Amino acid sequence: MRLNVSVKAGLSLAAAMSALLIPAAGSASATSGSATASATSVAAASGSGGSVSVAAAASFDSKCRSHSRTYVLKKYYRQVPVGPPTFYTLRCGTKTWGWKHIKLRHGWNSTMDRKIAAAIGTGSPNGRGGYSTYLNQCPRVEKFRTILGTPGGNNDLLTAYKVDQPAVAGVAAC
């Protein structure tokens, strides 16, 4: 019980500090850098899943502002039958490929990150140069798709998005 009270006190303190650290939206001191730092510190203090995804997106934004389009933000791993796992990279990219494209066209949050990891890690090849996850039904319905291969490299994530359609037209009946 004592630990639970301590955690609640820490969360209350984090919420109070965030109110002091984050300037009002209309104020002259409301810059993206200070808001990002505050969101990151609050996320670290609170340990909440929602805040962390906001902080990760802000962190990726800042990294991509200060690095080139080929900068590697994250690696996703796929276990192969023999040998070490292969990895696929998420690079900053541009508005047509990579993280910037995914954020702009499909949205970026912790759920998108998890779906990409699941599709690459355990998904089935989709015939489009990537991996997909499917609903467990017959006929199979694709629910999430990744496509690999960018100007930065063949093992780079081009895009990732939600799909709701049968896997292949003309598939044999179940």
Side-chain angles (χ1 to χ4, degrees):
M1 183 68 176
R2 186 177 200 106
L3 178 62
N4 192 17
V5 171
S6 160
V7 170
K8 287 181 181 177
L11 291 174
S12 296
L13 177 62
M17 291 301 293
S18 69
L20 296 173
L21 293 175
I22 300 173
S27 72
S29 64
T31 63
S32 64
S34 65
T36 300
S38 298
T40 304
S41 63
V42 170
S46 68
S48 67
S51 298
V52 173
S53 65
V54 170
S59 171
F60 283 1
D61 256 341
S62 66
K63 286 179 182 176
C64 288
R65 273 196 299 272
S66 61
H67 292 88
S68 73
R69 65 191 179 118
T70 58
Y71 181 78
V72 176
L73 293 170
K74 186 167 184 168
K75 292 182 179 180
Y76 295 97
Y77 293 90
R78 181 172 182 84
Q79 186 64 48
V80 293
V82 177
T86 57
F87 67 89
Y88 299 92
T89 54
L90 175 62
R91 296 183 186 268
C92 287
T94 66
K95 66 180 182 178
T96 59
W97 62 272
W99 182 76
K100 287 180 181 178
H101 165 77
I102 294 170
K103 180 185 172 204
L104 178 69
R105 295 284 309 274
H106 311 291
W108 182 264
N109 56 30
S110 60
T111 302
M112 176 64 85
D113 186 33
R114 280 192 309 273
K115 287 180 178 183
I116 292 169
I120 290 175
T122 60
S124 301
N126 60 22
R128 304 256 340 249
Y131 299 98
S132 296
T133 54
Y134 298 86
L135 294 174
N136 190 17
Q137 67 183 37
C138 188
R140 290 186 359 153
V141 175
E142 186 177 12
K143 64 180 185 174
F144 191 80
R145 177 184 297 162
T146 62
I147 299 177
L148 303 169
T150 69
N154 290 339
N155 282 358
D156 294 341
L157 188 62
L158 177 75
T159 190
Y161 51 93
K162 183 181 176 204
V163 179
D164 286 321
Q165 64 186 20
V168 178
V171 172
C174 302

